[in-house]
Amino acid sequence: MAWMTYISNWFEQDDWYEGLQRANMSQVRQVGLLAAGCQPWNKDVCAANGDRFAYCATLAIYIYQLDHRYNEFKLHAIMSEHKKTITAISWCPHNPDLFASGSTDNLVIIWNVAEQKVIAKLDNTKGMPASLSWCWNAHDAVAFVAHRGPLFIWTISGPDSGVTVHKDAHNFLSDISIFRWHTQKKGKVVFGHIDGSLSIFQPGNKSQKHVLRPESLEGTDEEDPITALEWDPLSTDYLLVANSHHGIRLVDTESLFCITTFNFPSAAASVQCLAWVPSAPGMFITGDSQVGVLRIWNVSRTTPIDNFKLKKTGFHCLHVLNSPPRKKFSIQSPIKNHYTSSTSEAVPPPVLTQNQAFSLPPGHAVCCFLDGGVGLYDMGAKKWDFLRDMGHVETIFDCKFKPDDPNLLATASFDGTIKVWDINTLTAVYISPGNEGVIYSLSWAPGDLNCIAGATSQNGAFIWDVKKGKMVQRFNEHGKNGIFCIAWSHKDSKRIATCSGDGFCIIRTIDGKVLHKYKHPAAVFGCDWSQNNKDMIATGCEDKNVRVYYVATSSDQPLKVFSGHTAKVFHVRWSPLREGILCSGSDDSSVRIWDYTQDACINILSGHTAPVRGLMWNTEIPYLLISGSWDYTIKVWDTREGTCLDTVYDHGADVYGLTCHPSRPFTMASCSRDSTVRLWSLTPLIAPLQINILADRSWEEIIGNSDYVIQQGTPPLLCGKMSRDIKQEIEKLTGNPQVKRLRWFSECLSPPGGSDNLWNLVAVIRGQDDSLLPQNYCKGIMHLKHLIKFRTSEAQELTTVKMSKFGGGIGVPTKEERLKEAAEIHLRLGQIQRYCELMVELGEWDKALSVAPGVSVKYWKKLMQRRADQLIQEDKDDVIPYCIAIGDVKKLVNFFMSRGQLKEALLIAQAACEGNMQTSHVSAPKGSSYSDDICKEDFNELLHTVSKELAEWYFQDGRAVLAACCHLAVDDIELAMTDLIRGNELELAVSVGTVLGESAAPATHYALELLARKCMMIPIWNLAADLLLMIPDNELHLIKLCAFYPECTEEINNLHEKCKLPTIEECMQLAETAHADGNIFETIKYYLLSQEPEKALPIGIHFVKEYISSSDWTLDTIYPILDLLSYIRTEKLLLHTCTEARNELLILCGYTGALLAIRRQYQSIVPALYEYTSQLLKRRKVSVPLKIEQLSEELDAWRACTQSINQSSEDSPYTPPSESQRMVYATLLKRLKDESLKGIIGHDYVTGSNLPSHSDIHISCLTGLKIQGPVYFLEDGKSTISLNDALMWAKVNPFSPLGTGIRLNPF
């Protein structure tokens, strides 16, 4: 196994514990990622191969991969090695794991997508690689060309590696816009030029340069650039060519003759991109460049067969996936279809469109648009499989939360737009009109004014009214000079400050009246209004100084000038919690903290290695400051002693903006030159505080004042407005306030993405009145008793709402679309008649007619059944009305589930449960309700199946909180709780479990136990004891806690007393008594609590070895003993006298860990645990009744017997396990009893597991593969494993994978 090479030296020695650090993980967790859009300036910026597609923003390449289980594309990796604009990407035709990219700094890179790493780099190419492509005729060569040529060919490996020049392709008379290799004919290549001509080269033939210009251009020097070129896949010589103005031609490159010219419906249409459809010979598609119309053509006709308007903005590039994603999993194996035969008269003839006999090709097109949108369009089904609408395509300079709404985030970008995002769904809700040039800074109007002020590089400043969607004010006092910062006063909504390269900071009212012009000796980059004094403003200047001005006087001189920085000062930020404290970030790579009242710099934070840009104070913890820098990192500082608490490496370029919302103070957003916005949770920084809230500690241990908290060594306390408001509200309550306290704190400490939704469901389950549910409840996952009600009213709303004359923002649906959507909802609710009426209104008579008889008529049902089966086989959505009319709910639910449309399946199943479907009964005697009950039960089971599947979809996507919501929606409390635990949302699990009470108790207790382990890490032992005391049956837990407590005797006895355990001295006597009585368990228990816990080791180990020597031992007998022994304090365990017993303990814990991992289905770590145990057996001196051969036999048997579950069908042919393997595996299973908590089985996935990091690449020492999502560092400070693997490992084997005997504690 890969990992052994990393750490085999650990296993060799026995004195490894010298100089080990404590294992740790990053404090700041990434919880959301807003990917960039696709850049609109270069040609080949999207590519696809197999089940992946890629597109590039300006500096990074985004790779999406098909998740076969759910048939959807997910962001798999972000590649960001390029420092300048990427010009082209090309996927290797022979190897789906490789692709090449070029950039304007004359760099070509070859990537391995599977391993997410650079394979080869070609620096300072001669000329910029404006276009590039893999050579079809050579296995590992990439060709690239600068604007005028020549064509360079870089052979990456092998004897001929290096760069050569194509012998003919050079000395062109016009710039090259695009080139394409022929896929079949070796070495044939065509170039398209800016003047509209083509150049064709083919080995053994005469070169054809600058031929086939459109006839209208012959003899003129007008330019009509070639915008797209594609060889006909079925011919050696035919080529499809698009010119910017002249449209599309099919040309024969052999006879140099134009075969067909294709005509557009209107003269205004022009084409940027085209692509052949591999699954349909002779078909190709084009995208219009003015407006997003996708046209489908056949070479036999000069006009398009079909046109779809997909978007308001024009196409930029197109790529057809050669193998369209097919459904990969089905819940039940499809039964042989016995309804239709080839001669059956029930098969209707295919419906012919007005274009007779051309059916739409089944295929998926990757579409990139000029506004940065990227999507995957299913042409056969005419729907988006995936659409990433409108990402920024350039550097994002600033981001800010809306003052009265923590779910709305505005971003300002180099691409000239401000976009407002909903951070729960990560979609754009508003976008500023028009292009403003470069936007450097934005500032929301205070309160609910719903306006944003923006600052630009050349066009002054503006105010955008977000709801009205228009610019309502412009400020031009700085002329054409760049405005670097704009700040709307928090305390006085009439004042706006801007600072500019002209050296002025200008204060004006919102109607444009200038109040002050503060002149600086050089450019001013940053300004910030004080949050405690409405008339104070600070500025950062190029002359390295920070100035403070008092706006209430007429003087234009600063009150204070702070000097100390050694390079220009960029941003300045006042502390929201401490009067007179401000910070500044500078190009000298440092952050300085200034105290206005003392006229002094009170701290210098150094650690960044490049200029500092982003700055943000936390609004609750007065000493917490975050900074972002051009060194690509974000640093978290404790400003009391100037220490850096954490460094985040996930961004792929300079970090510019940092922001958080006061009502969700521990969720931070950051933006960067890598064009992404990322969301972070800072709650791990205040873990003890969060646990104080759970343990129902007094207010003094939760809320404090700033002056107290900023003393060094004080634990974190909340000092901001949010926490004070919660406290005030709770003090007004009568009765038990703990429920409200848990909910309110949980909502503001948890990141977005489901915690509000979860608490709403908890309230519904506890019987809260529906009228108290918030307005946005119906937008999330609803409790099933509301699902039908809310969707019905939504359908009615869609029917009646007439569009307002302004339209409603982005991509508003037409009236037809609204009616259609309403019809679809009514249909899913079983309201067939309403569906028919709406369909008639839309003119779709055939659908209405085919459904109407569903209210009766037997023969129709049979026909419809056949039609339905046929449609299911064709995987067509038309099947839905048929199934509903004949009441075949199961078939429909399975159909939806097989396609991964889980939300649809859920709605259908629930409607059936509520009796809205006309179910087809088999001959039930009249008047019997017997079959109805059976149906009800069946549907209920179906409903739970679908909910589970939907929950699993969220869970696998790293969204454990939403997974828990799915379970709560069908009242499945245990599964909801275990999903939170498996997602390591322990604090949330305990909060929700405490509120739900008895029904959640077993899971709550498990979460408390894991949380107590986390406290031992922090370390806060008293708090750990408090948590364990909340568990009813807690003696063993408390014994483990006290055994591991590393303090002096007096301290230990105090903890014993708190836990109601005997003193150390008494424990020694109790142990000796128990030993004399032959009571093993009691002996071990009390020795562990005595002065000499190591005495427990040989006794326990001896017992376990004896026991597993017999043939019929079970795990449950030995696990409790090994679990107890693992709590011997590390320094005692590492004594030289314990060496042999310690090694035996590690081996036995490793082996039982592997068995537990099998029981819990922790597929990813079972092999590693077996390997770890074998390595220890091999390298340490021990005598245990385990053989290496036996271990490898068990592992092989496990692999063979579970492979069908673990592998997707196409990876490797399925070989059934041999008889002996079945026997071995059966014996294993006998040793494992069932888990007491059912839902705990299955892989752990923490929030953010699927979010790719950019620059922070770690290789797991368990798998040898790159870690996706959060990383956990082991105790040597170098070895890493994924946090998910660390959590699962620690739940089944307490000791580190490095074999050191140090406990692993990743909770």
Side-chain angles (χ1 to χ4, degrees), residues 708-723:
Y708 170 67
V709 175
I710 56 167
Q711 295 165 26
Q712 288 196 11
T714 314
L717 293 174
L718 302 173
C719 306
K721 181 176 179 331
M722 178 264 325
S723 51

Side-chain angles (χ1 to χ4, degrees), residues 688-868:
L689 209 164
Q690 222 182 340
I691 296 168
N692 281 338
I693 296 169
L694 298 181
D696 209 4
R697 290 282 179 100
S698 68
W699 284 115
E700 286 68 59
E701 295 179 69
I702 298 167
I703 291 179
N705 67 24
S706 299
D707 297 342
Y708 170 67
V709 175
I710 56 167
Q711 295 165 26
Q712 288 196 11
T714 314
L717 293 174
L718 302 173
C719 306
K721 181 176 179 331
M722 178 264 325
S723 51
R724 282 201 309 276
D725 289 352
I726 289 181
K727 183 177 177 206
Q728 268 177 347
E729 285 303 308
I730 283 173
E731 284 170 346
K732 289 183 201 159
L733 295 174
T734 51
N736 176 14
Q738 179 65 349
V739 168
K740 277 280 195 276
R741 178 158 109 155
L742 285 172
R743 172 168 185 169
W744 287 341
F745 274 116
S746 165
E747 284 179 335
C748 66
L749 297 181
S750 302
S755 60
D756 301 5
N757 196 164
L758 189 71
W759 283 107
N760 286 332
L761 287 166
V762 169
V764 171
I765 288 175
R766 294 183 71 238
Q768 174 188 297
D769 192 292
D770 287 358
S771 61
L772 298 173
L773 287 167
Q775 252 187 319
N776 61 358
Y777 167 69
C778 57
K779 295 232 171 33
I781 295 168
M782 289 180 274
H783 192 277
L784 287 181
K785 68 178 194 189
H786 298 134
L787 185 63
I788 302 294
K789 190 169 89 182
F790 276 105
R791 293 301 299 263
T792 303
S793 63
E794 181 190 345
Q796 283 159 351
E797 213 172 289
L798 286 166
T799 317
T800 51
V801 167
K802 297 282 179 278
M803 291 301 303
S804 67
K805 62 175 190 287
F806 297 115
I810 299 161
V812 171
T814 59
K815 175 159 189 259
E816 272 80 20
E817 285 167 335
R818 280 172 174 273
L819 288 179
K820 241 184 205 142
E821 196 182 330
E824 291 295 315
I825 293 174
H826 280 301
L827 180 60
R828 284 159 177 66
L829 302 176
Q831 296 151 355
I832 299 173
Q833 214 169 340
R834 194 81 194 88
Y835 168 73
C836 294
E837 282 164 36
L838 286 171
M839 278 307 181
V840 168
E841 202 176 323
L842 285 165
E844 299 209 19
W845 282 96
D846 52 340
K847 281 194 182 169
L849 287 170
S850 64
V851 178
V855 190
S856 65
V857 194
K858 212 167 184 181
Y859 174 63
W860 265 96
K861 288 188 176 171
K862 270 212 178 102
L863 280 187
M864 311 254 294
Q865 190 97 37
R866 292 182 190 169
R867 180 76 179 119

Side-chain angles (χ1 to χ4, degrees), residues 71 325-327 378 381 869-879 895 898-899 901:
N71 209 18
R326 292 302 317 126
K327 55 180 180 184
D378 180 337
D869 285 338
Q870 183 195 3
L871 288 166
I872 280 190
Q873 279 195 315
E874 291 171 18
D875 195 26
K876 290 245 172 72
D877 278 352
D878 300 353
V879 69
F895 170 69
S898 71
R899 295 168 42 150
Q901 292 173 290

